[in-house]
Amino acid sequence: MNPFDIMVEYWPRLLDGTLMTLKLTFLGALIAALFSPGLALIRANTGPVAQAPLRLYISFMRGTPILGQLFLIYYGSGQFRPILQEWGLWSFFRDPFNCALLAFALNSTAYQTEILRGGIMGVARGEIEAAKAIGMTRPQILRRVTFPHAYRIAWPALGNEIILLMKASALASVVTVFDIMGRTRQIFSRTFDFSIYLWAALIYLCITAIFVLLWRQGETRLSRHIGPHSTVRSILSPPEGPKP
């Protein structure tokens, strides 16, 4: 059987795995995107005592392998079965997909929080002072000045984080959630044809290329409202001389 015959015969399984990869990646990134702005504000604007629990959480998520975090949630939840049953959460933790999604969302939240904190810290203080001078309230400053500028600064790094999350989702197959790599291993165990891994790599490349294209469109839209990054532009552009 040649590589194309394998693809034709097993494409429904690969499509099923692709949809699972997309589901895990974008649900995990979406959950992280909901929580990371508030956590980034806490990291950027509070003292060391107030943000100590958050720093501990971020350090743990960034300093340990995501595979270990996945095992900790999936297998470790069994140690707390009586408590989880009493709280009505046991059925949630018995679903491998829920555990994988929770692990990826918690991990991505830690990274997105730090990336967005860097964006907030990069907002020029003069922008904030100008907003105060024209009478904007604190919520208005956050909504119209701080976060638009912070997301523009952090946008490329956030895109990289989502791509890394998509590749990390391949680990979900160890708890019987069959994404692209999980389905690929199933097919390989039947056919023993290594070309199926090349098809899997091609699928990942296609998803990544489409995502990068869409993400750049978002970057263009952000820059359209706010303008190009003046600091980078000023560094790269030659100084203007006197006009003749």
Side-chain angles (χ1 to χ4, degrees):
M1 186 178 291
N2 64 55
F4 291 99
D5 291 336
I6 290 178
M7 183 61 178
V8 170
E9 182 172 347
Y10 291 101
W11 74 265
R13 288 175 178 267
L14 290 173
L15 177 61
D16 182 65
T18 301
L19 294 177
M20 178 58 71
T21 294
L22 293 175
K23 191 175 176 182
L24 276 173
T25 301
F26 292 109
L27 280 180
L30 178 62
I31 293 171
L34 292 176
F35 290 98
S36 58
L39 297 178
L41 275 180
I42 294 173
R43 285 281 288 126
N45 294 299
T46 59
V49 176
Q51 58 178 273
L54 183 56
R55 291 170 65 94
L56 181 63
Y57 157 70
I58 291 174
S59 298
F60 179 81
M61 286 296 166
R62 297 172 69 192
T64 58
I66 192 170
L67 181 61
Q69 297 162 17
L70 179 58
F71 282 158
L72 189 63
I73 293 174
Y74 183 66
Y75 295 111
S77 60
Q79 302 296 316
F80 302 95
R81 180 172 180 172
I83 298 175
L84 294 175
Q85 284 179 327
E86 184 178 350
W87 291 351
L89 296 174
W90 179 240
S91 59
F92 176 87
F93 283 95
R94 283 301 84 200
D95 187 333
F97 174 80
N98 291 338
C99 291
L101 178 60
L102 181 60
F104 296 143
L106 288 172
N107 186 275
S108 186
T109 298
Y111 280 95
Q112 288 194 29
T113 296
E114 283 301 278
I115 292 170
L116 196 52
R117 181 181 70 88
I120 292 173
M121 300 297 287
V123 177
R125 188 165 184 79
E127 302 279 356
I128 308 296
E129 296 299 331
K132 289 179 180 177
I134 62 174
M136 281 191 180
T137 62
R138 183 175 174 79
Q140 287 176 326
I141 293 173
L142 289 175
R143 190 175 68 254
R144 298 183 180 181
V145 180
T146 303
F147 277 117
H149 282 279
Y151 272 107
R152 181 171 61 92
I153 296 169
W155 195 255
L158 288 173
N160 287 336
E161 160 54 23
I162 295 174
I163 290 174
L164 291 175
L165 182 65
M166 182 191 68
K167 291 190 289 186
S169 68
L171 298 172
S173 61
V174 300
V175 293
T176 68
V177 177
F178 292 103
D179 67 326
I180 296 174
M181 288 308 298
R183 292 299 181 193
T184 300
R185 280 200 293 270
Q186 279 186 330
I187 297 169
F188 180 76
S189 66
R190 291 189 177 192
T191 63
F192 294 101
D193 191 319
F194 195 74
S195 66
I196 193 63
Y197 284 103
L198 295 178
W199 285 113
L202 184 61
I203 293 172
Y204 275 111
L205 284 174
C206 289
I207 295 174
T208 303
I210 294 171
F211 172 77
V212 168
L213 182 64
L214 294 175
W215 203 254
R216 284 179 181 169
Q217 293 294 321
E219 186 175 4
T220 302
R221 291 179 66 87
L222 280 175
S223 299
R224 184 182 63 183
H225 293 293
I226 300 176
H229 197 301
S230 58
T231 304
V232 175
R233 177 65 60 88
S234 64
I235 293 172
L236 296 180
S237 301
E240 295 184 359
K243 293 182 180 179

